[in-house]
């Protein structure tokens, strides 16, 4: 059943999308200057944002894991916010901060500048996605045995030499893998380019405009597929890098008393502290300005306090309710599928396990834009005519975030020693009973984690659903985009604040209910 | 490079203390280590031995006291400026470098010409039998080979002091004994002053010129292995090194480093060693006897014994260990059963229920508390 679902809702639509364009569409895409520029822009933006994200992510991760800066635990939490809140919050916030009527640019500095364009997008993407790099690199740095640095020092190397000859080469594969994760996220992002890129065109938004503006499904598919190719390449490269770093740098020598990492020089420590403080404050400012916008009648003109925006978005529109409903259903289905899939791969060890593992993770590499286009192409005719329904939105959410749930479930099941099940079976439990009595309680925590995480991701998702919504099924994220485009900043900010609030509340409740067992991101 | 002068000990630890939060890891430790010697810090986990080693390496600075190497105070000198080298318990080999790169890593920071560097590296690789493995990465080596690379990486530096933190604990039991012998030989051949940390008493006794037993951050005894075993300074050392039977006794008379003590079950006083001068006439003391110090004979044996005290006991249980039998003997008046080890010539000699005559020889038992 899981396999069938994956085949039907991941592989089949992709194949339909791949088959949709004709040869002349490809030719047109490659020969038209506009599309060539778009493709180059997309790659350029991915490269720029990845480089800045990795540099910031590395420094931030080094500061909190190795440099022992004061308040490291607190600093560790701040970059997690963008991971659980929709990326387009950055775009929205930067318009409010640095836009034509921006709080900083217009009010404070009296400038008449403009955030719209490649530099604004670069900033938004860096702030939205450097946390991915941070998280991955923090994991890598923590996995490096501090004794190695101590050994290097003891052999006569100074701090900088040790960093250069021991830490950097050991972290390199992991940092490379982190960079690819960021690149995939930037390639596929739709909300920020839509909001802030101005006339700077990237594939995700152009594909959308082709379809919504010109109803040119085939060109949309071409552009979506053009996005898929580098994403898939990065996805496989990332898997290989991760695999190779585990293979080569697996800890040798076994256990031993580990010493804490050597302290860095006071200058470096305070430098890194200042750096982290600035980044963290900047990120918090992003949320603060959204909240401020939500209570402001007319941004840039009238800053009196109002609750009107909230009243309007909650009372008038069904968007928020739709988002809750769809994301809730999607999270449930997603967590179930993810758990079953992980169980099949890691416990039952089905013969096609490697393929199942790959397909469960593959949606992580599929840009939402392409997934949306593929769903429109695949499910607009009987027998599976789903376009325009709520079902297709839920399904798109399920498969967009399946990899997220699957990773969480797999991590738990991987740790669970087979001997636990074996000892239950040894005492006479049938394999059904073993599953219900032993395995299920153990994986229930990971199930809840998958559920919560899928929910907070799904409630802010944009790039795929934007193709799938119709009059009755508008969701909050799409609505925010619409409102922002039309300049209703107050409403957009109010809706965005509610989404962020719901995500944080959900996590907070989960943390309260499950306590320490509920560990996101290994922190 | 300044060498430690012959008169002065090579490493001097002077009243050193180190506290982490509320935990006193090392408490006023003083120790002199002679040039070229093999010295072991022995103790249970948490006794402060590893912290001491890390202070010698320069990873921590002492809160109080001084560490001198070759007469030079080390306070404030960072690890990379100290001419000491450390072998970690988990070896800490650089996983991204080959054996050759690992071993030559430290020499890059010395002002040596390339020829001299290569000569030293290849000499060490050859000496340790690693020359055929020089192109391999650590994960392609066995545990014993990794251990040797870690050692090679340190001794190629020709350090004034070589520090080793439980270097054998990740090897299996058989390999451990072989590498232990190698280690001793290498140390003797190179003559490098070595300070070794372990919780394994066998390692400490077999490797060391001198052993410093530590507990709760404090030095308990610092002496040669032979003395440690035969004249432990206190109950802790007696228990930690080898097995200790402690028999309650009362002091009759004290002498210079000796005492005569009355033990339960005998009217003859026993002449004991009292290295720590604990005895005061009439005091209750603990008399420590090692399991193999007893001489056993059948209970009905009548031959007079003049060189010790005779006790009568009954075997509760015995286990055959090949070379000898270890038995638990119940002796009236002595609470815990005595553990006795003896070679036997007949299978039933120490069967359960057998009554035996035990002779405790004079001038062996030690007052421990």
């Amino acid at each position: 059943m899981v396999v069938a679902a994956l085949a039907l809702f991941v592989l089949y639509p992709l194949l339909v999308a791949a088959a949709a364009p004709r040869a002349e569409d490809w030719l047109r895409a490659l020969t038209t200057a506009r599309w060539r520029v778009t493709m180059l822009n997309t790659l350029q933006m991915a490269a720029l944002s990845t480089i800045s994200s990795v540099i910031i992510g590395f420094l931030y991760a080094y500061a909190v894991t190795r440099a022992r800066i004061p308040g490291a635990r607190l600093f560790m939490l701040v970059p997690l916010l963008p991971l659980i809140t929709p990326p387009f919050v950055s775009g929205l916030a930067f318009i409010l901060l640095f836009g034509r009527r921006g709080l900083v640019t217009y009010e404070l500095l009296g400038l008449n500048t403009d955030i719209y364009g490649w530099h604004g997008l670069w900033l938004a993407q860096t702030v939205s996605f450097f946390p991915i790099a941070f998280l991955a690199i923090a994991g890598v740095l923590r996995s490096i045995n501090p004794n190695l640095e101590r050994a290097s020092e003891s052999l006569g190397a100074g701090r900088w030499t040790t960093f250069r000859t021991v830490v950097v080469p050991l972290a390199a594969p992991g940092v490379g893998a982190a960079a690819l994760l960021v690149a995939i996220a930037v390639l596929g992002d739709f909300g920020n380019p839509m909001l802030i890129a101005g006339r700077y065109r990237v594939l995700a938004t152009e594909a959308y405009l082709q379809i919504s503006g010109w109803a040119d499904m085939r060109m949309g598919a071409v552009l979506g597929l053009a996005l898929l190719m580098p994403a898939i390449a990065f996805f496989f490269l990332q898997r290989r890098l991760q695999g190779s770093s585990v293979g080569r740098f697996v800890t040798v020598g076994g256990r031993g008393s580990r010493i804490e990492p050597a302290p860095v020089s006071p200058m470096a420590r305070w430098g890194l502290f200042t750096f982290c403080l600035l980044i963290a404050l900047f990120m918090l400012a992003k949320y603060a300005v959204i909240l401020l916008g939500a209570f402001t009648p007319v941004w840039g003109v009238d800053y009196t306090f109002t609750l009107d925006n909230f009243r309007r978005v909650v009372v008038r529109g069904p968007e928020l309710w739709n988002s809750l409903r769809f994301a809730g259903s999607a999270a449930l289905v997603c967590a179930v599928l993810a758990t079953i899939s992980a169980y099949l791969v890691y416990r039952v060890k089905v013969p096609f396990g490697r393929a199942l593992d790959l397909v469960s993770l593959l949606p992580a590499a599929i840009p939402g834009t392409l997934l949306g286009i593929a769903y429109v192409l695949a499910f607009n005719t009987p027998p599976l005519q789903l376009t325009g329904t709520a079902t297709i939105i839920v399904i798109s959410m399920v498969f967009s975030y399946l990899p997220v749930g699957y990773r969480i479930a797999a991590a738990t099941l991987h740790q669970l020693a087979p001997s636990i099940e074996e000892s239950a079976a040894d005492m006479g439990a049938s394999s059904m009973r073993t599953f219900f009595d032993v395995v299920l309680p153990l994986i229930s925590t990971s199930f809840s984690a998958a559920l919560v995480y899928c929910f907070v991701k799904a409630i802010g998702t944009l790039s795929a659903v934007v193709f799938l919504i119709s009059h009755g099924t508008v969701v909050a994220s799409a609505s925010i985009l619409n409102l922002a485009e039309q300049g209703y900043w107050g409403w957009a900010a109010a809706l965005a604040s509610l989404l962020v609030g719901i995500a944080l509340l959900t996590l907070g409740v989960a943390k309260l209910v499950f306590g320490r067992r509920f560990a996101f991101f290994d922190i | 490079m300044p060498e430690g002068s012959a008169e002065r000990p090579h490493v001097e630890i002077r009243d050193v203390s180190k506290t982490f939060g509320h935990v006193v890891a090392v408490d006023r430790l003083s120790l002199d280590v002679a040039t070229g010697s093999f010295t072991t810090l022995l103790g249970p986990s948490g006794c402060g031995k590893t912290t001491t080693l890390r202070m010698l390496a320069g990873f921590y600075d002492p809160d109080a006291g001084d560490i001198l190497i070759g007469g030079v105070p080390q306070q404030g000198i960072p690890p990379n400026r100290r001419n000491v080298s450390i072998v970690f318990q988990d070896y800490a080999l650089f996983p991204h470098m080959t054996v050759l790169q690992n071993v030559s890593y430290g020499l890059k920071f010395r002002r040596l010409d390339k020829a001299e560097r290569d000569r030293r590296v290849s000499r060490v690789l050859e000496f340790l039998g690693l020359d055929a493995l020089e192109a391999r990465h650590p994960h392609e080596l066995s545990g014993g080979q990794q251990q040797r690379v870690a050692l090679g990486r340190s001794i190629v530096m020709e350090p004034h002091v070589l520090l080793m933190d439980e270097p054998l604990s990740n090897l299996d039991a058989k390999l451990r004994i072989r590498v232990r012998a190698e280690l001793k030989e290498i140390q003797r051949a190179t003559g490098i002053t070595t300070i070794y940390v372990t919780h394994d008493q066998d390692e400490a006794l077999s490797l060391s010129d001198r052993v410093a037993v530590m507990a709760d951050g404090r030095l308990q005894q610092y002496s040669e292995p032979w003395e440690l075993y035969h004249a432990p300074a206190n109950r802790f050392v007696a228990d930690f090194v080898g097995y200790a039977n402690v028999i309650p006794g009362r002091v009759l008379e004290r002498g210079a480093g000796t005492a005569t003590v009355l033990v339960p079950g005998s009217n003859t006083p026993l002449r004991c060693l009292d290295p720590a001068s604990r005895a005061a006439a009439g005091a209750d003391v603990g008399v420590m006897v090692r399991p193999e110090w007893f001489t056993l004979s059948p209970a009905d044996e009548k031959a007079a014994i003049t060189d010790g005290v005779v006790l009568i006991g009954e075997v509760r249980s015995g286990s055959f260990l090949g070379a000898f039998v270890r038995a638990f003997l119940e002796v009236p008046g002595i609470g815990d059963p005595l553990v006795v080890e003896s070679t036997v010539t007949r299978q039933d000699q120490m069967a359960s229920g057998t009554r035996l005559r035990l002779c405790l020889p004079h001038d062996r038992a030690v007052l421990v508390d």
Side-chain angles (χ1 to χ4, degrees):
Chain A
M1 196 193 75
V2 178
V3 181
L6 282 168
L8 185 58
F9 293 113
V10 178
L11 296 180
Y12 169 68
L14 282 184
L15 289 175
V16 171
R22 305 202 192 107
E24 71 235 37
D25 296 319
W26 284 104
L27 205 63
R28 191 151 57 94
L30 288 172
T31 50
T32 314
R34 177 190 169 100
W35 301 135
R36 279 210 308 270
V37 170
T38 305
M39 286 181 206
L40 284 177
N41 282 353
T42 308
L43 291 177
Q44 183 192 34
M45 184 48 58
L48 277 177
S49 308
T50 301
I51 291 168
S52 51
S53 295
V54 166
I55 291 173
I56 295 176
F58 188 94
L59 289 175
Y60 204 99
Y62 192 82
V64 296
T65 59
R66 295 265 146 164
R68 288 189 265 166
I69 59 165
R73 293 188 146 272
L74 223 57
F75 278 119
M76 228 180 263
L77 292 177
V78 179
L80 303 184
L81 285 172
L83 295 172
I84 54 168
T85 55
F88 57 78
V89 169
S90 301
L92 189 58
F94 292 146
I95 293 172
L96 297 182
L97 281 171
F98 310 117
R100 291 190 189 109
R101 292 267 167 173
L103 195 59
V104 175
T105 42
Y106 182 75
E107 300 289 333
L108 247 57
L109 304 174
L111 294 173
N112 212 349
T113 58
D114 195 339
I115 183 93
Y116 300 95
W118 68 272
H119 49 285
L121 182 57
W122 183 21
L123 181 67
Q125 299 299 49
T126 303
V127 173
S128 297
F129 297 117
F130 100 81
I132 296 178
F134 157 72
L135 206 59
I137 295 170
V140 171
L141 289 178
R142 256 195 292 261
S143 74
I144 297 175
N145 180 356
N147 279 358
L148 294 176
E149 286 157 78
R150 298 294 198 161
S152 166
E153 274 183 76
S154 182
L155 290 166
R159 283 174 181 147
W160 174 243
T161 310
T162 298
F163 180 77
R164 207 166 41 78
T165 57
V166 177
V167 180
V168 169
L170 286 176
V175 173
L180 293 168
L181 286 178
V182 173
I184 292 170
V186 174
L187 279 177
D189 186 53
F190 170 79
N192 282 335
M194 204 66 192
L195 277 170
I196 213 171
R199 270 183 292 179
Y200 186 80
R201 299 171 209 286
V202 295
L203 283 170
T205 47
E206 283 299 286
Y208 173 71
L209 293 176
Q210 279 305 299
I211 289 170
S212 72
W214 304 95
D216 189 346
M217 290 302 296
R218 297 203 321 252
M219 189 41 101
V222 167
L223 299 178
L225 288 165
L227 205 47
L228 178 68
M229 284 182 283
I232 287 280
F234 292 168
F235 173 76
F236 282 103
L237 198 59
Q238 194 266 342
R239 270 169 79 93
R240 267 195 60 177
L241 266 180
Q242 204 132 51
S244 79
S245 67
V246 169
R248 259 188 78 200
F249 298 146
V250 65
T251 326
V252 292
R255 81 207 150 73
S257 58
R258 287 199 174 173
I259 189 169
E260 65 281 6
V264 301
S265 71
M267 211 175 74
R269 187 158 167 264
W270 288 106
L272 285 168
F273 174 77
T274 314
F275 171 80
C276 287
L277 191 67
L278 288 176
I279 297 280
L281 286 177
F282 191 64
M283 290 175 61
L284 292 175
K286 192 178 101 178
Y287 293 97
V289 76
I290 293 282
L291 208 58
L292 187 65
F295 291 109
T296 303
V298 186
W299 192 260
V301 179
D302 179 4
Y303 283 105
T304 51
F305 179 83
T306 179
L307 287 171
D308 217 37
N309 297 322
F310 283 104
R311 205 167 303 136
R312 266 170 200 271
V313 297
V314 173
V315 177
R316 291 235 179 132
E319 298 94 342
L320 196 65
W321 170 237
N322 278 347
S323 283
L324 282 171
R325 220 155 40 107
F326 299 160
S329 330
L332 200 62
V333 179
C334 183
V336 170
L337 280 183
T339 306
I340 295 176
S341 187
Y343 191 77
L344 287 176
V345 172
Y346 286 96
R347 310 301 297 185
V348 184
K349 305 219 154 100
V350 286
F352 49 89
R354 279 181 64 89
L356 187 59
D357 178 66
L358 186 66
V359 179
S360 303
L361 289 171
L362 194 61
I366 303 172
T369 307
L370 177 66
L371 197 72
I373 294 170
Y375 273 32
V376 172
L377 286 167
F379 303 119
N380 66 349
T381 49
L384 271 168
Q385 187 164 18
L386 297 170
T387 41
T389 64
T391 314
I392 195 162
I393 296 177
V394 172
I395 292 174
S396 81
M397 288 173 170
V398 168
F399 289 97
S400 294
Y401 297 113
L402 183 67
V404 172
Y406 177 76
R407 274 205 195 98
I408 295 175
T412 316
L413 285 174
H414 207 50
Q415 290 165 356
L416 218 138
S419 54
I420 297 176
E421 266 171 279
E422 279 159 16
S423 66
D426 195 44
M427 290 183 279
S430 70
S431 86
M432 255 330 226
R433 265 212 86 92
T434 314
F435 182 80
F436 281 106
D437 291 354
V438 180
V439 181
L440 209 56
L442 286 169
I443 61 177
S444 63
T445 313
S446 85
F447 178 83
S448 322
L451 187 74
V452 169
Y453 201 73
C454 288
F455 177 76
V456 301
K457 288 301 258 188
I459 202 167
T461 190
L462 182 60
S463 49
V465 293
V466 83
F467 293 93
L468 304 172
I469 48 174
S470 61
H471 186 64
T473 55
V474 178
V475 293
S477 53
S479 182
I480 291 170
L481 202 68
N482 231 323
L483 292 168
E485 274 184 332
Q486 294 167 29
Y488 293 111
W489 302 116
W491 297 359
L495 211 45
S497 304
L498 286 171
L499 283 188
V500 171
I502 289 167
L504 291 181
L505 195 70
T506 310
L507 274 183
V509 168
K511 193 84 191 162
L512 268 182
V513 172
F514 297 102
R516 291 185 64 84
R517 288 179 300 153
F518 197 76
F520 270 137
F521 318 115
D522 307 319
I523 286 179
Chain B
M1 283 185 280
E3 280 297 326
S5 61
E7 304 82 47
R8 294 200 67 165
H10 198 169
V11 178
E12 297 163 78
I13 298 174
R14 295 256 167 274
D15 236 9
V16 162
S17 296
K18 180 73 186 172
T19 309
F20 296 104
H22 298 291
V23 183
V24 181
V26 176
D27 191 4
R28 284 161 290 160
L29 177 72
S30 290
L31 214 59
D32 284 348
V33 173
T35 307
S37 72
F38 196 118
T39 302
T40 296
L41 306 181
L42 174 68
S45 56
C47 73
K49 57 192 193 301
T50 296
T51 303
T52 305
L53 203 72
R54 286 175 180 172
M55 287 192 283
L56 287 163
F59 299 149
Y60 307 143
D61 271 329
D63 295 334
D66 281 321
I67 292 174
L68 289 84
I69 297 177
V72 180
Q74 299 292 302
Q75 184 79 18
I77 301 181
N80 56 329
R81 301 265 167 74
R82 293 188 183 195
N83 198 359
V84 299
S85 195
I86 182 163
V87 176
F88 287 92
Q89 187 177 7
D90 61 6
Y91 316 139
L93 296 178
F94 303 124
H96 56 302
M97 298 183 194
T98 62
V99 168
L100 182 68
Q101 287 166 333
N102 264 287
V103 173
S104 48
Y105 183 80
L107 289 183
K108 286 187 295 189
F109 311 112
R110 294 272 176 88
R111 276 193 209 93
L112 293 173
D113 62 65
K114 197 177 168 333
E116 166 69 5
R117 213 156 68 195
D118 292 349
R119 203 179 51 76
R120 268 165 75 166
V121 170
S122 59
R123 199 176 57 200
V124 166
L125 288 176
E126 198 181 328
F127 178 60
L128 294 173
L130 291 168
D131 32 1
L133 306 173
E134 63 174 42
R136 298 228 192 139
H137 280 89
H139 70 273
E140 299 166 309
L141 302 175
S142 70
Q145 290 164 338
Q146 290 177 15
Q147 209 274 337
R148 242 180 293 176
V149 176
L151 184 62
R153 189 175 67 176
S154 283
I155 60 177
V156 79
M157 303 298 291
E158 294 172 13
H160 285 173
V161 186
L162 177 65
L163 308 172
M164 294 200 222
D165 187 5
E166 310 235 9
L168 304 182
S169 63
N170 280 313
L171 303 177
D172 64 57
K174 267 202 177 135
L175 194 57
R176 201 177 304 165
I177 291 176
R178 212 188 71 206
V179 175
R180 195 199 285 170
E182 278 178 17
L183 217 54
K184 180 77 192 161
E185 218 156 286
I186 291 165
Q187 195 270 335
R188 221 174 261 152
T190 56
I192 300 174
T193 309
T194 300
I195 299 178
Y196 186 98
V197 158
T198 186
H199 64 273
D200 183 321
Q201 44 150 324
D202 290 348
E203 264 172 39
L205 296 183
S206 64
L207 281 168
S208 320
D209 298 316
R210 294 188 84 184
V211 179
V213 181
M214 293 177 72
D216 299 326
R218 295 204 191 136
L219 183 65
Q220 305 296 313
Q221 183 168 5
Y222 184 39
S223 54
E224 288 173 19
W226 175 271
E227 203 186 332
L228 208 60
Y229 187 79
H230 290 93
N234 57 35
R235 178 78 183 258
F236 177 85
V237 177
D239 276 330
F240 197 79
V241 181
Y243 185 86
N245 292 300
V246 180
I247 302 169
R250 175 159 296 162
V251 178
L252 293 178
E253 198 184 325
R254 60 175 291 187
T258 61
T260 45
V261 175
L262 209 54
V263 296
S266 171
N267 296 323
T268 321
L270 178 69
R271 220 168 46 242
C272 300
L273 305 179
D274 183 18
S277 304
R278 298 167 186 281
D284 289 323
V285 289
V287 178
M288 194 284 291
V289 189
R290 300 284 182 200
E292 70 284 4
W293 289 355
F294 297 98
T295 322
L296 303 180
S297 48
D300 49 9
E301 176 81 47
K302 290 288 184 284
I305 289 188
T306 53
D307 58 347
V309 166
V310 174
L311 300 173
I312 300 292
E314 188 183 312
V315 178
R316 279 248 311 257
S317 65
S319 38
F320 176 61
L321 294 168
F324 58 91
V325 170
R326 179 178 298 146
F328 290 87
L329 269 97
E330 199 94 64
V331 177
I334 297 176
D336 294 331
L338 297 179
V339 174
V340 173
E341 287 170 4
S342 173
T343 53
V344 291
T345 47
R346 270 195 356 259
Q347 208 174 337
D348 59 351
Q349 232 171 325
M350 278 167 75
S352 300
T354 313
R355 286 174 64 75
L356 290 172
R357 193 165 76 150
L358 295 90
C359 171
L360 259 129
H362 287 305
D363 303 322
R364 289 214 75 177
V366 183
L367 299 194
V368 289
D369 56 16

